[in-house]
Amino acid sequence: MVKITDPTIDEYLMSLSKEDDKQLLEMEEFAREKHFPIVDRLVGRLLFILTKLKNPKLIVELGSGFGYSAYWFAKALSQGKVVLTDYEEKNLQVARKTFKRAGLLDKIELRAGDAREIAKEYSGIDILFIDIEKYQYLEAIKILLPNLNRHALIIADNSLWYGRVLEDTADKETAGIKKFNEFMFANKDFFTTIIPLRDGVLLSYKVT
Amino acid sequence: MVKITDPTIDEYLMSLSKEDDKQLLEMEEFAREKHFPIVDRLVGRLLFILTKLKNPKLIVELGSGFGYSAYWFAKALSQGKVVLTDYEEKNLQVARKTFKRAGLLDKIELRAGDAREIAKEYSGIDILFIDIEKYQYLEAIKILLPNLNRHALIIADNSLWYGRVLEDTADKETAGIKKFNEFMFANKDFFTTIIPLRDGVLLSYKVT
């Protein structure tokens, strides 16, 4: 499997990206201990800047885990809220504790269940963050297009899928990511690019 | 020298990032022919999205060359303008022709001379793009801090300097970039991150 970014570059970036937010450090430690996949600090910092620039009222996450990405979104919000979704109620309970300790509970909504079904209840989504099963990305975005606000931003994690997008493989996760990427780049209602940060962060800006 | 991003990943991203803007294609061809350094299409696409999100009134470029990055900024602008600066009048003449053909001449100002001196004439800068001599970055940003608008975005190219930031070298370009990065990350008025795209794109959001 290819290394998307040279590991020494990642080390340099991490050495610059010092963190003193106790909750973030605890979440990163929790992820390491439990081998729980999170977007990591460098992607988190990008989410923070994108949120500051966008100044959204409504962020909906498809697949929140225990709230690491949502925490970066919430920290950047000056108004509005983040809706966290996860199949596992117990992940959201961990999130609730973290956001409570950080005084950010008023910025979030926690919803257990099928992320796509839950997201359909919300309209005017300003930022849609996608981090569910990879074969579900394309179906999810097709279902949720009507729920996006004008000039919405879609952010999808794992859009390079550890470099497997380069392989001629039939596994449904890789095929799903490739089809999703192709769909977004071909869709004229969006301007799309992929940032080769960590596992690839797709950004799609709704031009309509 | 390290490869910041795996070349096969770059190829995949380029294969997705099809372009049909004649002016952009011509500028890319011109850069290849003349061995003129440009930020490249993938960085250009990121600039486009950042500009859409920020919706700036005033973008000032320190070091515009023949206008490749400025073209991406101008395309994304719904209001406001981009100020292009370059020591070489002839580079700006090439830019003028390109923007004229694209019908974007009303979105730009072309200024030949010392980028830092010219930029000082502008206040309320919403996006400051830095791509001058690398040893000048730190001095430039220190001079221009008072000229930034509230919540300005600084974008600096070559912030990983072909991976030389990892080396213990005394050359003034590398030392300049390293000091600039450290200054921006340590400055509490800004939230800073570096995107490992092409040669490193530093993003600094002014939180004040």
Side-chain angles (χ1 to χ4, degrees):
Chain A
M1 221 179 298
V2 306
K3 293 268 182 209
I4 292 166
T5 307
D6 188 276
T8 61
I9 295 290
D10 269 333
E11 278 167 37
Y12 176 70
L13 298 180
M14 278 301 286
S15 76
L16 287 168
S17 307
K18 291 177 184 61
E19 188 53 64
D20 56 12
D21 182 317
K22 203 167 155 271
Q23 258 62 251
L24 273 174
L25 294 170
E26 281 183 20
M27 278 191 276
E28 291 172 2
E29 181 61 27
F30 181 84
R32 262 190 302 274
E33 275 174 19
K34 308 277 186 192
H35 302 285
F36 199 114
I38 58 172
V39 295
D40 100 0
R41 193 184 297 175
L42 298 176
V43 173
R45 294 179 77 89
L46 176 62
L47 299 182
F48 183 91
I49 288 185
L50 293 171
T51 307
K52 283 291 189 190
L53 294 174
K54 177 72 183 147
N55 195 18
K57 284 194 180 60
L58 177 60
I59 301 174
V60 174
E61 286 198 329
L62 309 182
S64 297
F66 64 88
Y68 185 79
S69 52
Y71 191 88
W72 281 105
F73 283 126
K75 262 174 78 108
L77 277 179
S78 58
Q79 50 174 345
K81 65 176 177 185
V82 193
V83 178
L84 286 76
T85 65
D86 205 86
Y87 272 116
E88 300 285 348
E89 178 68 39
K90 69 169 194 240
N91 289 337
L92 297 176
Q93 290 308 328
V94 176
R96 183 188 301 276
K97 281 181 200 159
T98 305
F99 282 81
K100 189 170 182 192
R101 278 197 300 264
L104 291 171
L105 216 45
D106 60 324
K107 298 212 179 273
I108 60 166
E109 253 183 69
L110 297 160
R111 301 284 310 271
D114 184 308
R116 293 159 298 175
E117 291 304 316
I118 296 164
K120 271 163 64 182
E121 298 173 22
Y122 297 84
S123 58
I125 297 171
D126 295 305
I127 295 182
L128 180 70
F129 178 74
I130 310 179
D131 197 9
I132 47 178
E133 298 295 330
K134 306 314 152 191
Y135 67 89
Q136 295 175 331
Y137 276 34
L138 183 57
E139 187 209 337
I141 193 60
K142 283 184 180 171
I143 291 172
L144 293 170
L145 285 178
N147 300 68
L148 297 176
N149 205 350
R150 192 164 173 259
H151 301 330
L153 179 67
I154 298 168
I155 307 173
D157 193 34
N158 305 109
S159 66
L160 294 171
W161 201 224
Y162 305 100
R164 283 186 214 115
V165 288
L166 300 163
E167 295 166 18
D168 229 351
T169 162
D171 81 271
K172 72 175 180 177
E173 299 280 351
T174 306
I177 287 286
K178 283 161 87 165
K179 274 183 204 151
F180 171 74
N181 289 345
E182 285 156 21
F183 176 82
M184 292 312 307
F185 274 84
N187 192 324
K188 295 296 177 202
D189 287 337
F190 293 86
F191 185 92
T192 299
T193 198
I194 292 176
I195 310 295
L197 174 65
R198 203 188 65 106
D199 194 27
V201 181
L202 177 138
L203 304 179
S204 259
Y205 176 85
K206 191 163 181 281
V207 290
T208 55
Chain B
M1 221 180 296
V2 305
K3 294 267 182 210
I4 292 166
T5 307
D6 188 276
T8 60
I9 294 290
D10 269 333
E11 278 167 37
Y12 175 71
L13 298 180
M14 279 301 286
S15 76
L16 286 169
S17 307
K18 290 176 183 61
E19 189 53 65
D20 56 12
D21 182 316
K22 204 166 153 269
Q23 260 60 251
L24 273 175
L25 293 170
E26 282 183 20
M27 279 191 276
E28 291 172 1
E29 181 60 27
F30 182 84
R32 263 190 302 274
E33 275 174 18
K34 308 277 186 191
H35 302 285
F36 199 114
I38 57 171
V39 295
D40 101 1
R41 193 183 296 174
L42 298 176
V43 174
R45 294 178 77 88
L46 176 61
L47 298 182
F48 183 91
I49 288 186
L50 293 171
T51 307
K52 283 291 189 189
L53 294 175
K54 176 71 184 150
N55 195 16
K57 285 194 180 61
L58 177 59
I59 301 174
V60 174
E61 286 200 330
L62 309 182
S64 297
F66 64 88
Y68 185 79
S69 52
Y71 191 88
W72 281 105
F73 282 126
K75 262 173 78 108
L77 277 178
S78 57
Q79 51 173 344
K81 66 176 176 186
V82 193
V83 178
L84 286 75
T85 65
D86 206 86
Y87 272 115
E88 299 286 347
E89 178 68 39
K90 69 169 195 243
N91 288 338
L92 297 176
Q93 290 307 328
V94 176
R96 184 188 300 277
K97 281 182 201 159
T98 306
F99 282 81
K100 190 170 182 191
R101 279 198 299 266
L104 291 171
L105 215 46
D106 61 323
K107 297 210 179 275
I108 61 165
E109 253 183 69
L110 298 160
R111 302 284 309 271
D114 183 309
R116 293 159 297 176
E117 291 304 316
I118 297 163
K120 271 163 64 181
E121 297 173 23
Y122 297 84
S123 59
I125 298 171
D126 295 305
I127 294 182
L128 180 70
F129 178 74
I130 311 180
D131 197 9
I132 46 178
E133 298 295 331
K134 306 314 152 190
Y135 67 89
Q136 295 175 331
Y137 277 34
L138 183 56
E139 187 209 337
I141 193 61
K142 283 184 180 170
I143 291 171
L144 293 170
L145 286 178
N147 299 68
L148 297 175
N149 206 350
R150 193 165 172 259
H151 300 330
L153 178 68
I154 298 168
I155 307 175
D157 193 35
N158 305 109
S159 66
L160 294 170
W161 201 226
Y162 305 100
R164 283 186 214 115
V165 289
L166 299 163
E167 294 167 18
D168 230 350
T169 162
D171 81 273
K172 72 175 180 178
E173 300 279 351
T174 307
I177 287 286
K178 284 161 87 166
K179 274 183 204 152
F180 171 74
N181 290 345
E182 285 156 21
F183 176 82
M184 292 312 307
F185 274 83
N187 192 325
K188 295 296 176 202
D189 287 338
F190 292 87
F191 184 92
T192 299
T193 198
I194 292 175
I195 310 296
L197 174 65
R198 204 188 65 106
D199 194 28
V201 181
L202 177 137
L203 305 178
S204 259
Y205 177 85
K206 191 164 181 281
V207 290
T208 56

